[in-house]
């Protein structure tokens, strides 16, 4: 029996990790520590968890616990992960991996000291059903990369009146910028990593009310970002990410190759099977020498799905290795995140890896 302790029972933990862990054979969730005892007891009652703690370190120290699932915001990921590993526990942590690349590298380095312990980051889920199809297109049809162009937005105008979201709170989210890391992680699966970054960003709403304190808090995390740079496989990238562009498309990604172009966009009518937190997308290709876009529909055998909890438990049992997402990949996307901040603040090109 693999016994799991939960540290931070947030939205994803309640809707995905807890039920999907419990559904695995030979798994029992035995303890939970949430922001308050009351919220922890509510979760424990819903999922029949026997122990509720007011301090997450009690879960780490519990000899009954074999593995830790971390559902907190990024500000706690590094500390909990390191203490869990040093206590001999396997670790599944929510994304983003950490507050910054220094924390991410520390987590990764500590994990290397415990090669028998499994470490996993919850992956960027949006494109899971389509990743294999996109990767196959890159390998077989793209030719050489010219430009990887990512435009993502909420499509909303500025709302000055809403409360601060945790992603806008640097004390909770660190250097992570909106949902940018999610799209970069997906792009890493298809094309690999960036070699350099030149970024500019803006904070259009500089103050919001904190939902925790009721006080006005300053915001320093950008709500609009533009970045360009080179890719390690050759070619360039452009990333535009925003929460303040009213009417903008939510997802519009182009991969321009020498032999073919791939367009990725949202499509509410997509018939591709979806899973937890994935997005209905449409893939279209335009081949060199033609003038008509063609729908690229994933084959049934290529449709990916959310396997986070299954992969984690199977890895502990020695049945498979972690692919979505490794600590090594987490360090790469955290370095990209830090490079965006450095470039924007210093107004200069930053080369990767840091």
């Amino acid at each position: 029996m693999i016994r799991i302790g939960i540290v931070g029972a947030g939205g994803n933990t309640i809707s995905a990790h807890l039920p999907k862990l419990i559904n695995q054979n030979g798994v029992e969730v035995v303890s939970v520590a949430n922001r308050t005892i009351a919220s922890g007891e509510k979760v424990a009652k819903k999922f029949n968890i026997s122990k509720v703690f007011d301090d997450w370190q009690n879960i780490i120290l519990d000899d009954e616990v074999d593995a830790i699932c971390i559902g907190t915001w990024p500000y706690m990921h590094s500390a909990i992960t390191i203490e869990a590993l040093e206590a001999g526990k396997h670790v599944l942590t929510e994304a983003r991996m950490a507050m910054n690349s220094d924390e991410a590298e520390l987590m990764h380095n500590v994990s290397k000291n415990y090669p028998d312990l499994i470490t996993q980051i919850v992956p960027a889920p949006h494109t899971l059903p389509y990743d294999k199809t996109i990767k196959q297109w890159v390998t077989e049809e793209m030719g050489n990369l010219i430009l990887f162009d990512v435009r993502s937005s909420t499509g909303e105008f500025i709302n000055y009146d809403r409360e601060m979201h945790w992603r806008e709170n640097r004390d909770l989210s660190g250097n992570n910028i909106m949902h940018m890391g999610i799209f970069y992680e997906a792009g890493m699966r298809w094309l690999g990593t960036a070699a350099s970054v030149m970024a500019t960003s803006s904070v259009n709403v500089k103050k919001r009310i904190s939902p925790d304190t009721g006080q006005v808090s300053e915001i320093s995390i950008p709500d609009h970002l533009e970045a360009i740079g080179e890719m390690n496989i050759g070619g360039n990238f452009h990333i535009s990410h925003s929460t303040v562009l009213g009417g903008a498309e939510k997802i519009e990604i182009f991969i321009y190759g020498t032999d073919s172009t791939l367009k990725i966009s949202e499509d509410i009518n997509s018939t591709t099977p979806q899973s937890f937190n994935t997005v209905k997308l449409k893939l279209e290709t335009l081949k060199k020498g033609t003038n008509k876009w063609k729908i690229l529909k994933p084959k049934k055998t290529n449709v990916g799905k959310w396997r986070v909890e299954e992969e984690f438990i199977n890895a502990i049992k020695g049945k498979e290795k972690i692919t979505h997402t490794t600590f090594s990949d987490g360090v790469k996307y955290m370095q990209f995140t830090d490079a965006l901040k450095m470039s924007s603040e210093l107004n200069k090109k930053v080369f990767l890896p840091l």
Side-chain angles (χ1 to χ4, degrees):
M1 181 69 68
I2 299 172
R3 296 174 175 85
I4 310 290
I6 304 294
V7 179
N12 277 354
T13 304
I14 292 172
S15 57
H17 307 326
L18 269 166
K20 293 178 185 297
L21 283 168
I22 291 169
N23 285 339
Q24 301 297 313
N25 291 329
V27 173
E28 181 183 4
V29 177
V30 297
S31 58
V32 60
N34 215 15
R35 297 184 75 187
T36 65
I37 281 288
S39 63
E41 288 176 342
K42 185 177 179 180
V43 172
K45 182 178 180 180
K46 180 176 181 179
F47 293 99
N48 195 29
I49 301 171
S50 60
K51 298 179 184 179
V52 180
F53 293 107
D54 61 356
D55 186 340
W56 60 267
Q57 289 179 315
N58 289 332
I59 292 181
I60 302 294
L61 296 172
D62 189 347
D63 291 336
E64 186 181 15
V65 172
D66 303 305
I68 305 294
C69 175
I70 305 171
T72 68
W73 295 315
Y75 77 117
M76 292 295 294
H77 292 180
S78 179
I80 299 172
T81 294
I82 290 169
E83 288 203 30
L85 290 171
E86 290 178 342
K89 320 293 188 186
H90 307 283
V91 175
L92 168 63
T93 182
E94 266 293 347
R96 298 291 88 205
M97 183 177 182
M99 296 274 277
N100 51 56
S101 64
D102 286 343
E103 286 190 355
E105 288 179 26
L106 180 59
M107 293 163 68
H108 185 36
N109 288 335
V110 171
S111 73
K112 293 177 183 177
N113 295 330
Y114 303 95
D116 295 332
L117 295 177
I118 300 302
T119 54
Q120 181 180 12
I121 309 167
V122 174
H126 295 55
T127 64
L128 290 175
Y130 310 91
D131 285 338
K132 289 183 180 179
T133 301
I134 296 170
K135 180 63 176 176
Q136 185 175 1
W137 173 87
V138 167
T139 302
E140 298 179 358
E141 299 185 37
M142 179 183 75
N144 296 322
L145 177 68
I146 298 175
L147 177 65
F148 177 41
D149 188 11
V150 181
R151 305 169 209 169
S152 62
S153 171
T154 60
E156 300 169 338
F157 286 95
I158 291 177
N159 179 353
Y160 292 100
D161 299 323
R162 69 168 174 80
E163 292 182 332
M164 176 186 284
H165 190 275
W166 69 266
R167 291 187 186 278
E168 297 169 316
N169 187 335
R170 193 172 293 278
D171 290 339
L172 301 178
S173 194
N175 292 342
N176 296 292
I177 303 171
M178 300 174 281
H179 290 83
M180 180 281 308
I182 291 173
F183 287 91
Y184 183 70
E185 182 185 339
M188 281 172 52
R189 298 175 196 155
W190 313 330
L191 298 165
T193 55
S196 69
V197 173
M198 186 71 188
T200 183
S201 63
S202 57
V203 182
N204 291 279
V205 182
K206 295 178 172 58
K207 293 183 179 180
R208 290 194 184 278
I209 300 294
S210 168
D212 292 326
T213 67
Q215 302 298 313
V216 174
S217 297
E218 292 188 359
I219 296 175
S220 61
I221 295 177
D223 50 24
H224 184 83
L225 169 76
E226 299 286 336
I228 58 173
E230 292 93 14
M231 298 291 291
N232 277 309
I233 65 168
N236 298 95
F237 73 84
H238 164 245
I239 289 179
S240 174
H241 198 81
S242 184
T243 60
V244 295
L245 297 182
E249 296 292 335
K250 290 185 177 180
I251 299 175
E252 194 169 46
I253 300 172
F254 288 87
I255 304 177
Y256 297 96
T258 53
D259 296 334
S260 182
T261 296
L262 176 67
K263 178 182 180 181
I264 305 167
S265 57
E266 271 201 297
D267 179 17
I268 60 173
N269 297 314
S270 172
T271 58
T272 299
Q274 302 293 305
S275 59
F276 179 75
N277 266 0
T278 57
V279 176
K280 290 187 174 184
L281 298 174
K282 177 167 61 176
L283 309 183
E284 301 173 86
T285 64
L286 180 66
K287 290 187 177 182
K288 183 178 180 180
T290 68
N291 58 7
K292 185 176 181 180
W293 289 89
K294 181 180 178 182
I295 298 294
L296 178 61
K297 186 173 177 58
K299 298 178 182 178
K300 289 183 178 180
T301 54
N302 281 342
V303 175
K305 62 181 181 179
W306 179 276
R307 294 189 62 250
V308 179
E309 300 78 15
E310 180 183 1
E311 190 176 77
F312 182 58
I313 297 303
N314 281 347
I316 293 174
K317 293 178 178 179
K319 294 182 178 180
E320 63 177 301
K321 293 184 178 181
I322 297 299
T323 60
H324 289 64
T325 293
T326 66
F327 272 23
S328 176
D329 284 339
V331 169
K332 292 172 184 175
Y333 72 60
M334 286 307 310
Q335 286 203 357
F336 182 77
T337 298
D338 279 7
L340 290 171
K341 181 175 184 292
M342 293 165 59
S343 176
S344 180
E345 291 179 349
L346 300 175
N347 192 31
K348 70 174 187 179
K349 179 185 286 190
V350 175
F351 292 91
L352 292 163
L354 297 179

